[in-house]
Amino acid sequence: MLRNRPLLLFSTIACLFSACFSLSGQTNGSYGAYSPYSVFGLGEISREGTAYNKSMGGVGIASNNRRFLNIMNPASLSIRDSSSFMADFGIVQKNTLYRQNDLKSGNNTFNMYNFVISFPVYKSSAMMIGITPFSDIGYDIRQKQTNQDIIGNTGNITYNTYGEGSVYQLFIGGGVTFWKRLSLGAEAIYYFGNLDKVYNQDFTNTSYASLKSGYELMIRGITGKFGAQYQIPLKNDISLVLGATYRMRTGIKGMTVYYENKNTSEIVDTLVYNEMINGKDNSLKIAGELGVGVSIKKGEHWSAEFDYIRSDWRNCGMEGYDGYSVSGASTFTSNASQSFRAGFEIVPNRNDIRYYLRRCAYRVGAYYEQAYYKLDGNQVNSMGLTFGVTLPVFRWYNGLTLGVDLGQRGSLKTNMVRERYISFTVGFNIFDIWFQKPRYN
């Protein structure tokens, strides 16, 4: 029976993974994100991490909890039980209210956000492989022509711009611990995905041809990420952990297609179709990222962490690159993004055999982020509070993590859009011990 356990576990994960992707494709949540701000650049950059990280405000650079899989710092992989197999995947549902001046609207999305497995290699070393979103776009903006002089001649005209697509990062990494205190890790990252940005001009009068134009962005890229953690034992089972990560900047490869079509009731004429290979002059890039963190913890009873992350997009070439910059009422300029994150976790009594709720892990967190772009010189900021709990399931470290994120992005100043959202995350923490010798035949 033990010999078939890894195969059975892999089969279960694969079935759940396929089911989640099928479900996400049948809902409005086919958008990984839905926001008017995602029209710019690569869209909305995803906040990295599993449900464990997300429910603590997004921290994880200095986390080394052996009960949870932390993908934010590859150095933390080796902090684990020997012979342990770990997996994590999650789903997220987000509800957002938008307001701009007197205009109001709302939307909700549903999607899967990560899938990762990890296993030991040799003594104090381990590896992981997984996939998670890097950025998403999703928007649908409609406007009708109101000038009566124009409508009187042409009939009603509707302008519609919409976009959809995601860029994913497929990664494989490893970590090793030296002298029980210093942990080092590295991972290779492959970016891939497609982004579609479309603009339509539709006439109700069939004597006029409707116009459709847009960009199809094929994103490809390879980069690396490095991480380190150093643990300092203090008194009374309390320890201090210092962490750092660095992701290298990389050029965007792939292809950009621009097209213009004229549509009548029976014929579609292609007016323009241009293909441009990305990366020839190496002027279009995905920015690097530097993160530092510090945490303090008391065994497996409680932990607190603070992280700072910075990513400089100012020289990544998106303002002047077709398909990434957007012409219109707002001026888009790249900027250095940064985020401040804090989180706290407590477990009342992990070994309590009488009261189940005392064995649960409770979390709270907060974050403040500045986006990687400005609109008309205005910085787009996000802030929020997170809450979460991990419910132990069955035995060992298997658990179900539930998280809530209450936040706001943008403001009502200078004609900007304010987004207020609440998102719910569900993470599945899978843990198993491999290569155990059977005690009985």
Side-chain angles (χ1 to χ4, degrees), residues 88-334:
D88 189 285
F89 66 96
I91 53 179
V92 59
Q93 195 274 331
K94 185 175 182 180
N95 309 278
T96 309
L97 294 176
Y98 310 92
R99 181 177 177 183
Q100 183 184 37
N101 299 325
D102 296 330
L103 301 177
K104 298 180 181 179
S105 64
N107 191 268
N108 60 80
T109 60
F110 177 85
N111 218 323
M112 187 171 182
Y113 64 84
N114 77 275
F115 177 78
V116 59
I117 61 174
S118 177
F119 49 88
V121 178
Y122 177 74
K123 293 185 177 179
S124 299
S125 61
M127 292 188 64
M128 69 174 174
I129 182 170
I131 184 172
T132 187
F134 177 73
S135 70
D136 303 283
I137 68 171
Y139 57 89
D140 191 345
I141 305 170
R142 297 175 184 269
Q143 183 179 6
K144 291 186 177 181
Q145 177 60 253
T146 58
N147 190 319
Q148 294 298 324
D149 293 335
I150 297 177
I151 296 175
N153 295 323
T154 64
N156 293 329
I157 307 175
T158 301
Y159 307 100
N160 173 220
T161 177
Y162 66 90
E164 59 184 355
S166 299
V167 177
Y168 298 93
Q169 48 183 345
L170 178 66
F171 56 90
I172 180 170
V176 60
T177 297
F178 302 96
W179 311 295
K180 298 182 179 181
R181 292 192 182 184
L182 176 64
S183 299
L184 301 176
E187 66 181 65
I189 302 173
Y190 174 62
Y191 299 109
F192 67 97
N194 297 294
L195 306 176
D196 294 327
K197 301 181 180 182
V198 182
Y199 175 79
N200 287 330
Q201 180 178 340
D202 295 322
F203 294 84
T204 56
N205 189 336
T206 57
S207 61
Y208 290 88
S210 297
L211 300 177
K212 179 179 181 180
S213 62
Y215 289 92
E216 297 176 355
L217 310 178
M218 179 186 296
I219 311 297
R220 302 290 185 270
I222 299 176
T223 190
K225 183 177 181 179
F226 306 94
Q229 288 184 344
Y230 187 74
Q231 184 166 315
I232 305 172
L234 304 176
K235 296 181 180 180
N236 301 322
D237 198 28
I238 296 177
S239 60
L240 183 71
V241 181
L242 305 177
T245 59
Y246 176 69
R247 188 190 69 216
M248 297 186 297
R249 186 170 68 169
T250 184
I252 295 179
K253 309 299 182 182
M255 180 182 297
T256 298
V257 175
Y258 174 73
Y259 61 88
E260 293 181 6
N261 296 333
K262 182 175 69 173
N263 304 324
T264 62
S265 58
E266 298 179 353
I267 301 174
V268 177
D269 290 331
T270 300
L271 304 179
V272 178
Y273 187 87
N274 292 331
E275 293 184 353
M276 180 173 60
I277 304 298
N278 297 334
K280 286 186 174 182
D281 55 0
N282 202 33
S283 62
L284 185 61
K285 297 181 176 65
I286 295 177
E289 181 184 89
L290 175 65
V292 293
V294 57
S295 70
I296 185 170
K297 63 178 184 177
K298 182 175 182 179
E300 295 185 351
H301 180 50
W302 58 262
S303 66
E305 182 175 347
F306 175 80
D307 289 355
Y308 172 75
I309 301 175
R310 179 181 172 84
S311 183
D312 195 345
W313 292 79
R314 287 175 294 185
N315 296 315
C316 291
M318 292 192 178
E319 291 95 330
Y321 220 89
D322 291 342
Y324 295 87
S325 61
V326 178
S327 60
S330 297
T331 302
F332 161 80
T333 54
S334 298

Side-chain angles (χ1 to χ4, degrees), residues 47-66:
R47 193 177 301 120
E48 189 180 14
T50 64
Y52 163 72
N53 305 111
K54 294 178 184 294
S55 59
M56 287 185 67
V59 299
I61 295 175
S63 297
N64 60 6
N65 192 326
R66 64 193 177 100

